[in-house]
Amino acid sequence: MATNWGSLLQNEQQLEELARQAVDRALAEGVLLRTSQEPSSSEVVSYAPFTLFPSLVPSALLEQAYAVQMDFNLLVDAVSQNAAFLEQTLSSTIKQDDFTARLFDIHKQVLKEGIAQTVFLGLNRSDYMFQRSTDGSPALKQIEINTISASFGGLASRTPAVHRHVLSVLSKTKEAGKILSNNPSKGLALGIAKAWELYGSTNALVLLIAQEKERNIFDQRAIENELLARDGQEIAVVYFRDGYMPRQYSLQNWEARLLLERSCAAKCPDIATQLAGTKKVQQELSRPGMLEMLLPGQPEAVARLRATFAGLYSLDMGEEGDQAIAKALAAPSRFVLKPQREGGGNNLYGEEMVQALKQLKDSEERASYILMEKIEPEPFENCLLRPGSPAQVVQCISELGIFGVYVRQEKTLVMNKHVGHLLRTKAIEHADGGVAAGVAVLDNPYPV
Ligand code: ADP
Ligand code: MG
């Protein structure tokens, strides 16, 4: 992708001055993170890393990503309600992956006891990269969908003002006007409020489950601040910003998760929806016929969804898995090996992937992974700003996320919408990792 910031990125002195202005504006707008030295304290905070300029994104791909979001909401909701599909899809994986198995045990137990909750709330974020193609027109390809603790909707609501400011300082008023407004935190809060309303108890609370050491607190506060504080004890909605990684669970936490799952509060997500967000489910959804089975009578939605799927391959024991492994070993740079993990930094690429595949080849353990085609976007230049580092002009690639919200009461879908976007940009030398992992930085799409 060509950038029209080309000459601006060459002028070092101007960049430094612009960076100072941008950082001050980011701080003033509340684009904040707690520091890694003091992750539990708001006494000393800094700005969340971001790009000096917005990155160019083709309007057609932005529109496509927005247009398919309601379909993804429907799909996740359909998967979460299809116990047979979840059981079959995850059967090999749960034998090898303890974390997924524990989640699945809770799912089975509440199914057996009868699901107490009647209101279901989904707040997710579907992530994409722009695969370059030989004819020059990039294609939107999904990286994954996050069904638990999808973050940065709060900070993404604050970054457009920063990039508008940078462009205004450069007297680029017309360009500044092209930065899209974005307010995912408002939309996410409206979803929570709707689920709370349908729960139907005026004194009930919303419980936000957060990590003890949470650098990204201001992202959560942005959503909290959209909700009215109320008195009372009963919990109507449980919103997880925690609980997506094994290390976030002690034995006591597992018991608490089961307790919450048994309650009639609307969980965001409930266990089935968290399982619907696993990489194994993503891979099985790409099998021919699966989307048609889950979304019967909706061929247009199925076509929109399928158009965003990259190559996804099962590594279950058997011929299909053997062939996938052989393909990856023959061309390692074209694939990514993914375990059932969230939070960044878990995937294996290149030589590491080759070593892991050779080791896993003859072991049942390989069923806890999936193989994915590696998306190769066209790199472009931007300047990355991080606390403690000088402004750096580097070759970058971006990842676009769209936030989706849905609310279901029993069998009736009451809300289904998209509520905004997140663009994250990272230097090309990093294969993996998001903003929280210290790799990517916040950005805004500049539609072209
Ligand atoms: P996590 O749940 O840990 O966020 P992801 O599947 O989103 O796992 O992968 C983490 C990061 O790795 C992504 O943000 C992206 O930068 C990179 N990545 C993942 N899958 C691919 C892929 N198929 N092609 C290129 N990069 C990928
Ligand atoms: Mg991710």
Side-chain angles (χ1 to χ4, degrees):
M1 244 177 281
T3 86
N4 59 357
W5 320 125
S7 59
L8 293 167
L9 286 162
Q10 309 313 320
N11 185 338
E12 229 170 90
Q13 216 179 341
Q14 188 183 31
L15 276 188
E16 264 174 44
E17 174 52 28
L18 263 184
R20 273 193 290 273
Q21 297 231 18
V23 165
D24 286 346
R25 187 63 190 247
L27 290 165
E29 292 292 336
V31 183
L32 303 173
L33 281 183
R34 284 175 174 165
T35 64
S36 44
Q37 291 79 17
E38 300 239 22
S40 322
S41 165
S42 296
E43 293 287 316
V44 180
V45 298
S46 196
Y47 61 94
F50 63 99
T51 56
L52 182 55
F53 295 103
S55 295
L56 277 59
V57 173
S59 312
L61 298 190
L62 258 176
E63 281 162 27
Q64 187 190 351
Y66 267 106
V68 75
Q69 187 55 44
M70 280 85 83
D71 303 323
F72 271 115
N73 292 344
L74 282 181
L75 180 62
V76 167
D77 194 37
V79 169
S80 79
Q81 293 176 79
N82 195 323
F85 173 82
L86 277 177
E87 170 123 42
Q88 202 193 352
T89 296
L90 295 172
S91 63
S92 56
T93 305
I94 55 179
K95 286 192 198 113
Q96 303 302 326
D97 187 84
D98 188 50
F99 180 64
T100 314
R102 281 182 169 228
L103 293 173
F104 192 77
D105 284 347
I106 296 180
H107 168 65
K108 288 289 278 186
Q109 181 160 348
V110 288
L111 273 183
K112 196 174 75 195
E113 293 171 1
I115 294 169
Q117 82 187 77
T118 55
V119 178
F120 297 81
L121 167 65
L123 304 178
N124 62 53
R125 199 190 68 224
S126 180
D127 292 335
Y128 308 88
M129 280 185 177
F130 314 124
Q131 170 82 63
R132 69 178 132 190
S133 63
T134 38
D135 72 356
S137 57
L140 186 78
K141 291 293 163 192
Q142 188 185 48
I143 295 293
E144 64 154 351
I145 189 157
N146 302 282
T147 61
I148 180 167
S149 192
S151 61
F152 290 107
L155 298 190
S157 309
R158 271 93 177 134
T159 55
V162 180
H163 279 153
R164 283 185 197 127
H165 179 73
V166 168
L167 295 173
S168 301
V169 168
L170 293 165
S171 304
K172 292 189 171 294
T173 318
K174 194 174 90 239
E175 286 85 349
K178 283 186 74 176
I179 308 280
L180 304 172
S181 292
N182 192 30
N183 198 352
S185 48
K186 175 103 187 174
L188 297 172
L190 283 174
I192 294 173
K194 188 70 190 174
W196 176 87
E197 180 196 320
L198 293 173
Y199 180 86
S201 171
T202 42
N203 286 325
L205 298 180
V206 173
L207 173 67
L208 188 152
I209 299 191
Q211 298 172 48
E212 227 174 290
K213 292 181 180 168
E214 176 55 89
R215 290 187 62 200
N216 204 7
I217 184 82
F218 304 103
D219 189 55
Q220 300 176 3
R221 294 279 192 237
I223 298 164
E224 254 175 40
N225 294 344
E226 300 277 353
L227 297 163
L228 285 173
R230 290 177 195 258
D231 296 332
Q233 290 295 308
E234 192 181 0
I235 305 294
V237 180
V238 182
Y239 173 36
F240 284 92
R241 293 292 296 252
D242 193 0
Y244 50 88
M245 288 180 191
R247 66 172 158 84
Q248 294 165 337
Y249 286 88
S250 62
L251 195 60
Q252 221 178 7
N253 290 351
W254 278 115
E255 283 164 14
R257 185 76 199 260
L258 173 62
L259 184 78
L260 290 173
E261 202 59 26
R262 285 167 145 171
S263 78
C264 49
K267 269 77 67 182
C268 179
D270 65 345
I271 287 268
T273 305
Q274 184 171 354
L275 290 169
T278 55
K279 308 236 167 6
K280 184 66 191 173
V281 165
Q282 180 186 9
Q283 171 259 303
E284 284 295 312
L285 288 173
S286 75
R287 265 187 211 287
M290 283 299 176
L291 292 180
E292 286 81 355
M293 185 272 289
L294 287 156
L295 300 174
Q298 300 182 66
E300 281 149 12
V302 166
R304 280 191 297 266
L305 289 162
R306 190 162 284 139
T308 69
F309 287 179
L312 289 150
Y313 309 92
S314 167
L315 293 181
D316 285 4
M317 295 309 270
E319 205 185 313
E320 186 191 340
D322 291 345
Q323 278 173 6
I325 291 175
K327 266 209 281 201
L329 289 176
S333 64
R334 291 179 39 214
F335 295 91
V336 186
L337 181 64
K338 297 191 172 188
Q340 309 305 308
R341 288 291 170 275
E342 300 295 327
N346 302 297
N347 302 332
L348 298 173
Y349 305 79
E351 187 51 30
E352 258 188 320
M353 178 188 75
V354 168
Q355 290 312 319
L357 282 177
K358 283 183 178 161
Q359 216 170 39
L360 287 167
K361 218 165 167 245
D362 302 312
S363 154
E364 304 267 351
E365 198 194 332
R366 70 191 217 190
S368 66
Y369 292 81
I370 64 152
L371 191 70
M372 185 174 181
E373 170 196 354
K374 185 156 185 267
I375 309 305
E376 298 280 2
E378 184 75 42
F380 56 88
E381 272 192 337
N382 205 333
C383 175
L384 308 186
L385 304 178
R386 300 176 189 287
S389 312
Q392 238 191 334
V393 176
V394 287
Q395 289 289 313
C396 303
I397 54 174
S398 295
E399 185 168 347
L400 172 71
I402 305 291
F403 289 95
V405 176
Y406 62 89
V407 178
R408 173 166 54 82
Q409 188 169 35
E410 311 271 14
K411 293 284 163 200
T412 311
L413 200 62
V414 180
M415 181 186 282
N416 181 14
K417 50 186 186 179
H418 50 66
V419 299
H421 54 266
L422 168 71
L423 193 73
R424 293 172 297 169
T425 294
K426 64 179 183 185
I428 44 172
E429 59 262 28
H430 298 290
D432 206 281
V435 179
V439 171
V441 307
L442 300 175
D443 197 351
N444 278 292
Y446 184 83
V448 286

